[in-house]
């Protein structure tokens, strides 16, 4: 450990890597390179097209917020207590900020700040940050897409969001996902349920894992999140939420379920699905990809959070939404062999052995004509540039050499089939290639 000077008078203690060439992306983060980056963007584009066709408008909110925004999502929630990247800035007095671990809280904060007309149906995309123990499908920076509807208590708003997620999975070819559905009750019926669950886990506390005993003291519902083997039989025999719902919550849940049936959306009733955040009320749901390991097979989830907006000082406003994990969805697509990375081959590679601006002018013309054009630089040898042309996946190479320059033509060489080549007069090259790629 070496000390690095931070703000004047405040040494910033951090680990310093021996050599600058040893620097790597931080633990739990990744560089996503082409063509995977294009695949991720394409996935987000498909999501945007689907939710925008349903009238949801995009919200782009800050990647960091006042830490108080996230404390609202639940003081006994791991993502707030253990996993937040929180820091102070250089203001005097310093502001307490945190990289966002999720987006629902930011959307609720934005709703109170801007007072849009309700119902407010929005979507978002972007990275989230959680200080988790990294493993396959679990990162410290990961990408989510999601929707929220604020200002509607209608069970059909719950169904609208669920159906959109389902449409999206179908659209990208991920047709084997399972939808798990539960109701968490509300402030009327949940306290009695909490008592029943607390009683059950307390009765079996000796058999619970140590971590779950600690969790039980803070919030008995969080014990359901445990995947530790000793906890499983005790979780399996715990009282079920749906048996404790009050009449209103039961009616809401019945409406959700019958609409899903009517829309032919398959789901599994999951009485132990409590989800990791404290703000949920009534409907909760999760999408599971069977092709992934159980530790990271949840590819998205959401639910209703009536009451959250009030915690931000807003008027009573019901809300419902979901977030999907893009990184995991892509892993699930790999496992199901669907939604392949797009072909990132070039159409044309320009081999420039003379230098000068000719190749740049031709690249510009061909790109303007809609072709994907890449080119050689540095007047490398013909052989070296032809190697690059092959590697680029281009269908044709265009060669600009001394001879070509003096003839006012270029050589077009086909790279994929036979290596047929012919001269094309310079003025005809754009129309020639447009014809070829039509
Ligand atoms: P949550 O906001 O916890 O409900 O998460 C919604 C979805 O985001 C999950 O179902 C996962 O697909 C994804 N997700 C959550 N945490 C991570 C993480 N650390 N790394 C990758 N994906 C994550």
């Amino acid at each position: 450990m070496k000390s690095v000077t931070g703000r004047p008078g405040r040494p910033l203690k951090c680990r310093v890597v021996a050599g600058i060439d040893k620097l790597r992306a931080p633990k739990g983060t990744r560089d996503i390179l082409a063509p995977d980056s294009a695949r991720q963007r394409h996935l987000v584009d498909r999501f945007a097209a689907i939710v925008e066709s349903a009238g949801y408008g995009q919200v782009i909110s800050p990647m960091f917020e006042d830490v108080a925004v996230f404390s609202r999502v639940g003081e006994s929630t791991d993502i707030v207590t253990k996993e937040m990247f929180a820091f102070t800035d250089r203001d005097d007095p310093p502001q307490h900020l945190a990289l966002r671990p999720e987006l629902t809280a930011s959307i609720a904060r934005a709703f109170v700040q801007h007072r849009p007309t309700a119902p407010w149906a929005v979507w978002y995309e972007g990275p989230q940050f959680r200080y988790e123990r990294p493993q396959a499908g679990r990162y410290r920076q990961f990408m989510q897409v999601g929707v929220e509807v604020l200002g509607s208590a209608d069970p059909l708003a719950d169904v609208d969001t669920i159906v959109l997620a389902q449409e999206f999975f179908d659209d990208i070819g991920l047709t084997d996902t399972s939808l798990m559905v539960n109701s968490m009750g509300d402030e009327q019926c949940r306290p009695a349920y909490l008592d029943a669950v607390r009683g059950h886990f307390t009765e079996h506390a000796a058999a619970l894992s140590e971590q779950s005993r600690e969790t039980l003291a803070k919030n008995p519902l969080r014990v359901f999140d445990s995947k530790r083997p000793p906890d499983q039989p005790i979780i399996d025999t715990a009282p079920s939420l749906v048996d404790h719902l009050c009449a209103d919550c039961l009616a809401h849940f019945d409406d959700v379920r019958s609409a899903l049936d009517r829309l032919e959306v398959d789901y599994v009733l999951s009485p132990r699905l409590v989800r990791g955040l404290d703000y949920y009320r009534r409907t909760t749901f999760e999408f599971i990809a069977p092709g992934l390991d159980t530790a990271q097979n949840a590819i998205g989830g959401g639910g209703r959070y009536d009451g959250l907006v009030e915690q931000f000082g807003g008027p009573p406003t019901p809300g419902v939404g979901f977030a999907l994990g893009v990184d995991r969805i892509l892993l699930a697509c790999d496992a199901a062999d669907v939604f392949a990375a797009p072909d990132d081959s070039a159409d044309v590679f320009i081999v420039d052995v003379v230098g000068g601006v000719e190749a740049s002018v031709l690249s510009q013309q061909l790109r303007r004509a809609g072709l994907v054009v890449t080119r050689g630089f540095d007047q490398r040898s013909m052989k070296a540039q032809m190697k690059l042309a092959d590697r680029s996946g281009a269908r044709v190479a265009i060669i600009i050499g001394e001879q070509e320059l003096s003839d006012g033509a270029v050589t077009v060489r086909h790279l994929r089939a036979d290596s047929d080549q012919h001269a094309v007069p310079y003025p005809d090259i754009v129309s020639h290639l447009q014809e070829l790629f039509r």
Side-chain angles (χ1 to χ4, degrees), residues 321-353:
F322 65 71
L324 310 179
V326 170
D327 310 77
R328 283 196 201 166
I329 292 172
L330 287 172
L331 289 174
C333 287
D334 289 341
D337 211 9
V338 298
F339 203 73
D343 179 5
D344 65 345
S345 326
D347 296 324
V348 176
F349 188 98
I350 298 181
V351 175
D352 172 27
V353 286

Side-chain angles (χ1 to χ4, degrees), residues 130 132 137-139 142 144 275 298-301 323-325 328:
R130 296 182 192 174
E132 300 213 59
R138 188 172 296 279
Y139 311 106
F142 58 97
Q144 283 187 338
R275 311 260 313 126
I299 52 171
L324 310 179
R328 283 196 201 166

